[in-house]
Amino acid sequence: DGSDWTVSEDWEVTSGLTNDILLTTTETSETMVSLMERFANEPVFLEVVKAITQTKSNAPLKERKKARHQASQYMVEEGKLWRLRGGTTVRARSRVECTTREEAKELARIQHAEGGHWGRDAIKIALTDRIYSPRLDESIMTAI
C-alpha cells in the first residue's frame, strides 16, 4: 500500500540536478558607480540605477517602495543595465541592453553600413531587438 515511503522523489533528485531558483546575487558598488558614470547624461537610466541601489538601502519604506516600482522593469547583470520586456510588444524580447544616446548613434551607424541602406525603420527594427535607448529615432536619424 506504499506506507513505507512518504514522498516520491522527483527525477531531478535522482539525476543529481538541483534547482537554485532562489539564488540571488548582488552587484558590487563599483559596478553601480560605473553605471552611474556611464548614464550621467541619461536621466531615465540614472534614475533607475539609483532606484536599484536604493531598494537595498535603509531608506524609509515609502522611498524603497517607489524605488522598487521604478526598478521593476530593469536589472543589472554582468556590469550592464538591462530592460526587461515581456510580451507587451509584437516583437517581444526577454531583455535588451540599455545604451546611451551616443552608443545608440554608433550602433545605428554600424547597422546602417552592415545591414544595407534600407532606411530608418529597418535600422530601428534591428536595434530594438538588442538595445533600449531614449530617443532612439533621433539617434538613428542623426547617424544616417
PDB file of all heavy atoms in Angstrom, residues 56-89:
ATOM      1  N   LYS A  56      17.928  48.468  -1.837  1.00  0.00           N
ATOM      2  CA  LYS A  56      18.694  47.694  -0.861  1.00  0.00           C
ATOM      3  C   LYS A  56      19.204  48.562   0.279  1.00  0.00           C
ATOM      4  O   LYS A  56      20.023  48.139   1.062  1.00  0.00           O
ATOM      5  CB  LYS A  56      19.861  47.025  -1.576  1.00  0.00           C
ATOM      6  CG  LYS A  56      19.421  46.094  -2.672  1.00  0.00           C
ATOM      7  CD  LYS A  56      20.582  45.660  -3.523  1.00  0.00           C
ATOM      8  CE  LYS A  56      20.060  44.863  -4.685  1.00  0.00           C
ATOM      9  NZ  LYS A  56      20.583  45.253  -5.940  1.00  0.00           N
ATOM     10  N   SER A  57      18.765  49.791   0.347  1.00  0.00           N
ATOM     11  CA  SER A  57      19.273  50.705   1.368  1.00  0.00           C
ATOM     12  C   SER A  57      18.373  50.683   2.607  1.00  0.00           C
ATOM     13  O   SER A  57      17.384  49.976   2.665  1.00  0.00           O
ATOM     14  CB  SER A  57      19.350  52.122   0.803  1.00  0.00           C
ATOM     15  OG  SER A  57      18.045  52.647   0.656  1.00  0.00           O
ATOM     16  N   ASN A  58      18.731  51.520   3.547  1.00  0.00           N
ATOM     17  CA  ASN A  58      17.945  51.654   4.769  1.00  0.00           C
ATOM     18  C   ASN A  58      17.035  52.873   4.705  1.00  0.00           C
ATOM     19  O   ASN A  58      16.710  53.454   5.730  1.00  0.00           O
ATOM     20  CB  ASN A  58      18.871  51.747   5.989  1.00  0.00           C
ATOM     21  CG  ASN A  58      19.605  50.449   6.224  1.00  0.00           C
ATOM     22  OD1 ASN A  58      19.098  49.383   5.910  1.00  0.00           O
ATOM     23  ND2 ASN A  58      20.802  50.543   6.766  1.00  0.00           N
ATOM     24  N   ALA A  59      16.640  53.257   3.517  1.00  0.00           N
ATOM     25  CA  ALA A  59      15.756  54.408   3.332  1.00  0.00           C
ATOM     26  C   ALA A  59      14.380  54.088   3.910  1.00  0.00           C
ATOM     27  O   ALA A  59      14.044  52.924   4.146  1.00  0.00           O
ATOM     28  CB  ALA A  59      15.636  54.734   1.846  1.00  0.00           C
ATOM     29  N   PRO A  60      13.579  55.113   4.130  1.00  0.00           N
ATOM     30  CA  PRO A  60      12.213  54.871   4.620  1.00  0.00           C
ATOM     31  C   PRO A  60      11.428  53.965   3.674  1.00  0.00           C
ATOM     32  O   PRO A  60      11.702  53.912   2.464  1.00  0.00           O
ATOM     33  CB  PRO A  60      11.602  56.269   4.678  1.00  0.00           C
ATOM     34  CG  PRO A  60      12.758  57.195   4.785  1.00  0.00           C
ATOM     35  CD  PRO A  60      13.883  56.534   4.044  1.00  0.00           C
ATOM     36  N   LEU A  61      10.460  53.274   4.212  1.00  0.00           N
ATOM     37  CA  LEU A  61       9.687  52.290   3.460  1.00  0.00           C
ATOM     38  C   LEU A  61       9.045  52.892   2.218  1.00  0.00           C
ATOM     39  O   LEU A  61       9.074  52.288   1.149  1.00  0.00           O
ATOM     40  CB  LEU A  61       8.620  51.670   4.360  1.00  0.00           C
ATOM     41  CG  LEU A  61       7.732  50.615   3.711  1.00  0.00           C
ATOM     42  CD1 LEU A  61       8.568  49.422   3.265  1.00  0.00           C
ATOM     43  CD2 LEU A  61       6.652  50.173   4.669  1.00  0.00           C
ATOM     44  N   LYS A  62       8.484  54.083   2.313  1.00  0.00           N
ATOM     45  CA  LYS A  62       7.821  54.715   1.173  1.00  0.00           C
ATOM     46  C   LYS A  62       8.804  54.935   0.024  1.00  0.00           C
ATOM     47  O   LYS A  62       8.485  54.655  -1.132  1.00  0.00           O
ATOM     48  CB  LYS A  62       7.196  56.042   1.606  1.00  0.00           C
ATOM     49  CG  LYS A  62       6.404  56.719   0.524  1.00  0.00           C
ATOM     50  CD  LYS A  62       5.739  57.988   1.040  1.00  0.00           C
ATOM     51  CE  LYS A  62       4.945  58.658  -0.058  1.00  0.00           C
ATOM     52  NZ  LYS A  62       4.267  59.865   0.419  1.00  0.00           N
ATOM     53  N   GLU A  63      10.004  55.382   0.326  1.00  0.00           N
ATOM     54  CA  GLU A  63      11.016  55.611  -0.701  1.00  0.00           C
ATOM     55  C   GLU A  63      11.489  54.297  -1.312  1.00  0.00           C
ATOM     56  O   GLU A  63      11.725  54.217  -2.514  1.00  0.00           O
ATOM     57  CB  GLU A  63      12.192  56.378  -0.114  1.00  0.00           C
ATOM     58  CG  GLU A  63      11.873  57.815   0.206  1.00  0.00           C
ATOM     59  CD  GLU A  63      13.048  58.545   0.824  1.00  0.00           C
ATOM     60  OE1 GLU A  63      14.202  58.113   0.614  1.00  0.00           O
ATOM     61  OE2 GLU A  63      12.804  59.541   1.518  1.00  0.00           O
ATOM     62  N   ARG A  64      11.628  53.259  -0.498  1.00  0.00           N
ATOM     63  CA  ARG A  64      12.041  51.952  -1.018  1.00  0.00           C
ATOM     64  C   ARG A  64      10.979  51.369  -1.939  1.00  0.00           C
ATOM     65  O   ARG A  64      11.297  50.759  -2.960  1.00  0.00           O
ATOM     66  CB  ARG A  64      12.329  50.988   0.126  1.00  0.00           C
ATOM     67  CG  ARG A  64      13.653  51.253   0.805  1.00  0.00           C
ATOM     68  CD  ARG A  64      14.015  50.126   1.723  1.00  0.00           C
ATOM     69  NE  ARG A  64      12.862  49.705   2.505  1.00  0.00           N
ATOM     70  CZ  ARG A  64      12.830  49.568   3.806  1.00  0.00           C
ATOM     71  NH1 ARG A  64      13.894  49.769   4.516  1.00  0.00           N
ATOM     72  NH2 ARG A  64      11.744  49.184   4.423  1.00  0.00           N
ATOM     73  N   LYS A  65       9.693  51.553  -1.613  1.00  0.00           N
ATOM     74  CA  LYS A  65       8.618  51.061  -2.477  1.00  0.00           C
ATOM     75  C   LYS A  65       8.617  51.790  -3.809  1.00  0.00           C
ATOM     76  O   LYS A  65       8.437  51.175  -4.856  1.00  0.00           O
ATOM     77  CB  LYS A  65       7.255  51.214  -1.793  1.00  0.00           C
ATOM     78  CG  LYS A  65       6.988  50.181  -0.732  1.00  0.00           C
ATOM     79  CD  LYS A  65       5.582  50.322  -0.180  1.00  0.00           C
ATOM     80  CE  LYS A  65       5.273  49.220   0.799  1.00  0.00           C
ATOM     81  NZ  LYS A  65       3.895  49.301   1.293  1.00  0.00           N
ATOM     82  N   LYS A  66       8.811  53.094  -3.773  1.00  0.00           N
ATOM     83  CA  LYS A  66       8.887  53.882  -5.009  1.00  0.00           C
ATOM     84  C   LYS A  66      10.073  53.423  -5.856  1.00  0.00           C
ATOM     85  O   LYS A  66       9.950  53.243  -7.066  1.00  0.00           O
ATOM     86  CB  LYS A  66       9.006  55.366  -4.688  1.00  0.00           C
ATOM     87  CG  LYS A  66       9.067  56.248  -5.908  1.00  0.00           C
ATOM     88  CD  LYS A  66       9.213  57.705  -5.548  1.00  0.00           C
ATOM     89  CE  LYS A  66       9.362  58.556  -6.801  1.00  0.00           C
ATOM     90  NZ  LYS A  66       9.647  59.947  -6.488  1.00  0.00           N
ATOM     91  N   ALA A  67      11.212  53.207  -5.215  1.00  0.00           N
ATOM     92  CA  ALA A  67      12.404  52.750  -5.926  1.00  0.00           C
ATOM     93  C   ALA A  67      12.179  51.366  -6.518  1.00  0.00           C
ATOM     94  O   ALA A  67      12.569  51.088  -7.657  1.00  0.00           O
ATOM     95  CB  ALA A  67      13.602  52.731  -4.983  1.00  0.00           C
ATOM     96  N   ARG A  68      11.535  50.487  -5.773  1.00  0.00           N
ATOM     97  CA  ARG A  68      11.258  49.136  -6.257  1.00  0.00           C
ATOM     98  C   ARG A  68      10.360  49.176  -7.496  1.00  0.00           C
ATOM     99  O   ARG A  68      10.562  48.445  -8.452  1.00  0.00           O
ATOM    100  CB  ARG A  68      10.621  48.301  -5.152  1.00  0.00           C
ATOM    101  CG  ARG A  68      10.519  46.831  -5.499  1.00  0.00           C
ATOM    102  CD  ARG A  68       9.957  45.992  -4.365  1.00  0.00           C
ATOM    103  NE  ARG A  68      10.684  46.194  -3.119  1.00  0.00           N
ATOM    104  CZ  ARG A  68      10.103  46.574  -1.978  1.00  0.00           C
ATOM    105  NH1 ARG A  68       8.814  46.782  -1.914  1.00  0.00           N
ATOM    106  NH2 ARG A  68      10.832  46.740  -0.889  1.00  0.00           N
ATOM    107  N   HIS A  69       9.370  50.078  -7.470  1.00  0.00           N
ATOM    108  CA  HIS A  69       8.475  50.225  -8.620  1.00  0.00           C
ATOM    109  C   HIS A  69       9.232  50.752  -9.838  1.00  0.00           C
ATOM    110  O   HIS A  69       9.053  50.252 -10.951  1.00  0.00           O
ATOM    111  CB  HIS A  69       7.314  51.158  -8.280  1.00  0.00           C
ATOM    112  CG  HIS A  69       6.403  51.425  -9.426  1.00  0.00           C
ATOM    113  ND1 HIS A  69       5.540  50.469  -9.920  1.00  0.00           N
ATOM    114  CD2 HIS A  69       6.235  52.520 -10.208  1.00  0.00           C
ATOM    115  CE1 HIS A  69       4.876  50.974 -10.953  1.00  0.00           C
ATOM    116  NE2 HIS A  69       5.289  52.214 -11.139  1.00  0.00           N
ATOM    117  N   GLN A  70      10.105  51.750  -9.654  1.00  0.00           N
ATOM    118  CA  GLN A  70      10.879  52.300 -10.757  1.00  0.00           C
ATOM    119  C   GLN A  70      11.824  51.259 -11.344  1.00  0.00           C
ATOM    120  O   GLN A  70      12.044  51.222 -12.551  1.00  0.00           O
ATOM    121  CB  GLN A  70      11.698  53.506 -10.290  1.00  0.00           C
ATOM    122  CG  GLN A  70      10.880  54.741 -10.042  1.00  0.00           C
ATOM    123  CD  GLN A  70      11.731  55.863  -9.481  1.00  0.00           C
ATOM    124  OE1 GLN A  70      12.654  55.633  -8.707  1.00  0.00           O
ATOM    125  NE2 GLN A  70      11.392  57.076  -9.867  1.00  0.00           N
ATOM    126  N   ALA A  71      12.388  50.432 -10.511  1.00  0.00           N
ATOM    127  CA  ALA A  71      13.384  49.461 -10.956  1.00  0.00           C
ATOM    128  C   ALA A  71      12.785  48.128 -11.385  1.00  0.00           C
ATOM    129  O   ALA A  71      13.516  47.239 -11.809  1.00  0.00           O
ATOM    130  CB  ALA A  71      14.385  49.225  -9.830  1.00  0.00           C
ATOM    131  N   SER A  72      11.474  47.985 -11.325  1.00  0.00           N
ATOM    132  CA  SER A  72      10.865  46.674 -11.583  1.00  0.00           C
ATOM    133  C   SER A  72      11.037  46.188 -13.016  1.00  0.00           C
ATOM    134  O   SER A  72      10.984  44.988 -13.264  1.00  0.00           O
ATOM    135  CB  SER A  72       9.377  46.704 -11.225  1.00  0.00           C
ATOM    136  OG  SER A  72       8.692  47.598 -12.084  1.00  0.00           O
ATOM    137  N   GLN A  73      11.244  47.078 -13.957  1.00  0.00           N
ATOM    138  CA  GLN A  73      11.410  46.672 -15.357  1.00  0.00           C
ATOM    139  C   GLN A  73      12.877  46.617 -15.784  1.00  0.00           C
ATOM    140  O   GLN A  73      13.170  46.517 -16.975  1.00  0.00           O
ATOM    141  CB  GLN A  73      10.653  47.639 -16.270  1.00  0.00           C
ATOM    142  CG  GLN A  73       9.156  47.570 -16.113  1.00  0.00           C
ATOM    143  CD  GLN A  73       8.601  46.243 -16.596  1.00  0.00           C
ATOM    144  OE1 GLN A  73       8.925  45.793 -17.693  1.00  0.00           O
ATOM    145  NE2 GLN A  73       7.795  45.604 -15.780  1.00  0.00           N
ATOM    146  N   TYR A  74      13.794  46.677 -14.824  1.00  0.00           N
ATOM    147  CA  TYR A  74      15.223  46.707 -15.131  1.00  0.00           C
ATOM    148  C   TYR A  74      15.975  45.744 -14.235  1.00  0.00           C
ATOM    149  O   TYR A  74      15.507  45.379 -13.166  1.00  0.00           O
ATOM    150  CB  TYR A  74      15.787  48.119 -14.926  1.00  0.00           C
ATOM    151  CG  TYR A  74      15.192  49.148 -15.852  1.00  0.00           C
ATOM    152  CD1 TYR A  74      14.022  49.817 -15.525  1.00  0.00           C
ATOM    153  CD2 TYR A  74      15.798  49.443 -17.062  1.00  0.00           C
ATOM    154  CE1 TYR A  74      13.477  50.762 -16.374  1.00  0.00           C
ATOM    155  CE2 TYR A  74      15.256  50.385 -17.918  1.00  0.00           C
ATOM    156  CZ  TYR A  74      14.097  51.038 -17.571  1.00  0.00           C
ATOM    157  OH  TYR A  74      13.552  51.964 -18.419  1.00  0.00           O
ATOM    158  N   MET A  75      17.171  45.361 -14.689  1.00  0.00           N
ATOM    159  CA  MET A  75      18.057  44.549 -13.862  1.00  0.00           C
ATOM    160  C   MET A  75      19.497  44.846 -14.243  1.00  0.00           C
ATOM    161  O   MET A  75      19.773  45.340 -15.343  1.00  0.00           O
ATOM    162  CB  MET A  75      17.778  43.059 -14.028  1.00  0.00           C
ATOM    163  CG  MET A  75      18.151  42.489 -15.375  1.00  0.00           C
ATOM    164  SD  MET A  75      17.781  40.743 -15.464  1.00  0.00           S
ATOM    165  CE  MET A  75      19.342  40.107 -16.022  1.00  0.00           C
ATOM    166  N   VAL A  76      20.413  44.551 -13.337  1.00  0.00           N
ATOM    167  CA  VAL A  76      21.838  44.716 -13.597  1.00  0.00           C
ATOM    168  C   VAL A  76      22.450  43.331 -13.606  1.00  0.00           C
ATOM    169  O   VAL A  76      22.274  42.550 -12.672  1.00  0.00           O
ATOM    170  CB  VAL A  76      22.504  45.595 -12.518  1.00  0.00           C
ATOM    171  CG1 VAL A  76      24.003  45.669 -12.738  1.00  0.00           C
ATOM    172  CG2 VAL A  76      21.887  46.984 -12.521  1.00  0.00           C
ATOM    173  N   GLU A  77      23.150  43.039 -14.704  1.00  0.00           N
ATOM    174  CA  GLU A  77      23.821  41.747 -14.824  1.00  0.00           C
ATOM    175  C   GLU A  77      25.066  41.926 -15.669  1.00  0.00           C
ATOM    176  O   GLU A  77      25.026  42.617 -16.694  1.00  0.00           O
ATOM    177  CB  GLU A  77      22.882  40.716 -15.464  1.00  0.00           C
ATOM    178  CG  GLU A  77      23.455  39.314 -15.498  1.00  0.00           C
ATOM    179  CD  GLU A  77      22.470  38.314 -16.067  1.00  0.00           C
ATOM    180  OE1 GLU A  77      22.392  38.216 -17.307  1.00  0.00           O
ATOM    181  OE2 GLU A  77      21.782  37.664 -15.271  1.00  0.00           O
ATOM    182  N   GLU A  78      26.157  41.320 -15.238  1.00  0.00           N
ATOM    183  CA  GLU A  78      27.428  41.385 -15.950  1.00  0.00           C
ATOM    184  C   GLU A  78      27.878  42.828 -16.175  1.00  0.00           C
ATOM    185  O   GLU A  78      28.452  43.171 -17.201  1.00  0.00           O
ATOM    186  CB  GLU A  78      27.329  40.648 -17.292  1.00  0.00           C
ATOM    187  CG  GLU A  78      26.982  39.183 -17.159  1.00  0.00           C
ATOM    188  CD  GLU A  78      26.636  38.537 -18.494  1.00  0.00           C
ATOM    189  OE1 GLU A  78      26.680  39.240 -19.523  1.00  0.00           O
ATOM    190  OE2 GLU A  78      26.317  37.353 -18.491  1.00  0.00           O
ATOM    191  N   GLY A  79      27.586  43.696 -15.228  1.00  0.00           N
ATOM    192  CA  GLY A  79      28.008  45.078 -15.322  1.00  0.00           C
ATOM    193  C   GLY A  79      27.213  45.926 -16.296  1.00  0.00           C
ATOM    194  O   GLY A  79      27.607  47.039 -16.612  1.00  0.00           O
ATOM    195  N   LYS A  80      26.097  45.412 -16.777  1.00  0.00           N
ATOM    196  CA  LYS A  80      25.266  46.143 -17.732  1.00  0.00           C
ATOM    197  C   LYS A  80      23.865  46.316 -17.172  1.00  0.00           C
ATOM    198  O   LYS A  80      23.394  45.497 -16.392  1.00  0.00           O
ATOM    199  CB  LYS A  80      25.172  45.386 -19.060  1.00  0.00           C
ATOM    200  CG  LYS A  80      26.497  45.213 -19.762  1.00  0.00           C
ATOM    201  CD  LYS A  80      26.319  44.422 -21.030  1.00  0.00           C
ATOM    202  CE  LYS A  80      27.649  44.230 -21.728  1.00  0.00           C
ATOM    203  NZ  LYS A  80      27.485  43.431 -22.954  1.00  0.00           N
ATOM    204  N   LEU A  81      23.205  47.389 -17.612  1.00  0.00           N
ATOM    205  CA  LEU A  81      21.819  47.628 -17.241  1.00  0.00           C
ATOM    206  C   LEU A  81      20.942  47.047 -18.339  1.00  0.00           C
ATOM    207  O   LEU A  81      21.139  47.340 -19.520  1.00  0.00           O
ATOM    208  CB  LEU A  81      21.560  49.127 -17.081  1.00  0.00           C
ATOM    209  CG  LEU A  81      20.150  49.526 -16.656  1.00  0.00           C
ATOM    210  CD1 LEU A  81      19.845  49.008 -15.249  1.00  0.00           C
ATOM    211  CD2 LEU A  81      19.990  51.039 -16.699  1.00  0.00           C
ATOM    212  N   TRP A  82      19.987  46.221 -17.955  1.00  0.00           N
ATOM    213  CA  TRP A  82      19.094  45.564 -18.912  1.00  0.00           C
ATOM    214  C   TRP A  82      17.660  45.980 -18.635  1.00  0.00           C
ATOM    215  O   TRP A  82      17.260  46.072 -17.478  1.00  0.00           O
ATOM    216  CB  TRP A  82      19.196  44.044 -18.786  1.00  0.00           C
ATOM    217  CG  TRP A  82      20.550  43.508 -19.072  1.00  0.00           C
ATOM    218  CD1 TRP A  82      21.561  43.342 -18.178  1.00  0.00           C
ATOM    219  CD2 TRP A  82      21.056  43.066 -20.330  1.00  0.00           C
ATOM    220  NE1 TRP A  82      22.654  42.816 -18.802  1.00  0.00           N
ATOM    221  CE2 TRP A  82      22.376  42.637 -20.126  1.00  0.00           C
ATOM    222  CE3 TRP A  82      20.513  42.986 -21.616  1.00  0.00           C
ATOM    223  CZ2 TRP A  82      23.168  42.148 -21.145  1.00  0.00           C
ATOM    224  CZ3 TRP A  82      21.301  42.498 -22.632  1.00  0.00           C
ATOM    225  CH2 TRP A  82      22.607  42.078 -22.407  1.00  0.00           C
ATOM    226  N   ARG A  83      16.908  46.207 -19.690  1.00  0.00           N
ATOM    227  CA  ARG A  83      15.478  46.467 -19.548  1.00  0.00           C
ATOM    228  C   ARG A  83      14.749  45.168 -19.808  1.00  0.00           C
ATOM    229  O   ARG A  83      14.956  44.515 -20.842  1.00  0.00           O
ATOM    230  CB  ARG A  83      15.003  47.529 -20.535  1.00  0.00           C
ATOM    231  CG  ARG A  83      13.528  47.822 -20.350  1.00  0.00           C
ATOM    232  CD  ARG A  83      13.119  49.048 -21.133  1.00  0.00           C
ATOM    233  NE  ARG A  83      11.751  49.397 -20.785  1.00  0.00           N
ATOM    234  CZ  ARG A  83      10.815  49.645 -21.673  1.00  0.00           C
ATOM    235  NH1 ARG A  83      11.088  49.622 -22.949  1.00  0.00           N
ATOM    236  NH2 ARG A  83       9.600  49.953 -21.289  1.00  0.00           N
ATOM    237  N   LEU A  84      13.915  44.777 -18.881  1.00  0.00           N
ATOM    238  CA  LEU A  84      13.150  43.544 -19.016  1.00  0.00           C
ATOM    239  C   LEU A  84      11.899  43.851 -19.802  1.00  0.00           C
ATOM    240  O   LEU A  84      11.182  44.790 -19.513  1.00  0.00           O
ATOM    241  CB  LEU A  84      12.791  42.989 -17.639  1.00  0.00           C
ATOM    242  CG  LEU A  84      13.981  42.761 -16.715  1.00  0.00           C
ATOM    243  CD1 LEU A  84      13.505  42.327 -15.349  1.00  0.00           C
ATOM    244  CD2 LEU A  84      14.940  41.764 -17.307  1.00  0.00           C
ATOM    245  N   ARG A  85      11.647  43.034 -20.797  1.00  0.00           N
ATOM    246  CA  ARG A  85      10.478  43.252 -21.633  1.00  0.00           C
ATOM    247  C   ARG A  85       9.708  41.953 -21.717  1.00  0.00           C
ATOM    248  O   ARG A  85      10.240  40.933 -22.086  1.00  0.00           O
ATOM    249  CB  ARG A  85      10.911  43.686 -23.028  1.00  0.00           C
ATOM    250  CG  ARG A  85      11.670  44.993 -22.999  1.00  0.00           C
ATOM    251  CD  ARG A  85      12.298  45.325 -24.306  1.00  0.00           C
ATOM    252  NE  ARG A  85      11.360  45.270 -25.396  1.00  0.00           N
ATOM    253  CZ  ARG A  85      11.623  45.737 -26.593  1.00  0.00           C
ATOM    254  NH1 ARG A  85      12.774  46.318 -26.835  1.00  0.00           N
ATOM    255  NH2 ARG A  85      10.750  45.643 -27.565  1.00  0.00           N
ATOM    256  N   GLY A  86       8.468  42.030 -21.423  1.00  0.00           N
ATOM    257  CA  GLY A  86       7.627  40.850 -21.505  1.00  0.00           C
ATOM    258  C   GLY A  86       6.982  40.747 -22.871  1.00  0.00           C
ATOM    259  O   GLY A  86       7.520  41.200 -23.868  1.00  0.00           O
ATOM    260  N   GLY A  87       5.819  40.179 -22.916  1.00  0.00           N
ATOM    261  CA  GLY A  87       5.100  40.008 -24.168  1.00  0.00           C
ATOM    262  C   GLY A  87       4.204  41.187 -24.486  1.00  0.00           C
ATOM    263  O   GLY A  87       3.124  41.017 -25.013  1.00  0.00           O
ATOM    264  N   THR A  88       4.653  42.394 -24.153  1.00  0.00           N
ATOM    265  CA  THR A  88       3.812  43.566 -24.360  1.00  0.00           C
ATOM    266  C   THR A  88       3.913  44.135 -25.760  1.00  0.00           C
ATOM    267  O   THR A  88       3.131  44.993 -26.128  1.00  0.00           O
ATOM    268  CB  THR A  88       4.177  44.672 -23.352  1.00  0.00           C
ATOM    269  OG1 THR A  88       5.561  45.001 -23.535  1.00  0.00           O
ATOM    270  CG2 THR A  88       3.931  44.206 -21.930  1.00  0.00           C
ATOM    271  N   THR A  89       4.885  43.713 -26.531  1.00  0.00           N
ATOM    272  CA  THR A  89       5.049  44.237 -27.881  1.00  0.00           C
ATOM    273  C   THR A  89       4.929  43.100 -28.884  1.00  0.00           C
ATOM    274  O   THR A  89       4.976  41.930 -28.539  1.00  0.00           O
ATOM    275  CB  THR A  89       6.416  44.915 -28.052  1.00  0.00           C
ATOM    276  OG1 THR A  89       7.441  43.935 -27.866  1.00  0.00           O
ATOM    277  CG2 THR A  89       6.613  46.030 -27.051  1.00  0.00           C
TER     278      THR A  89
END
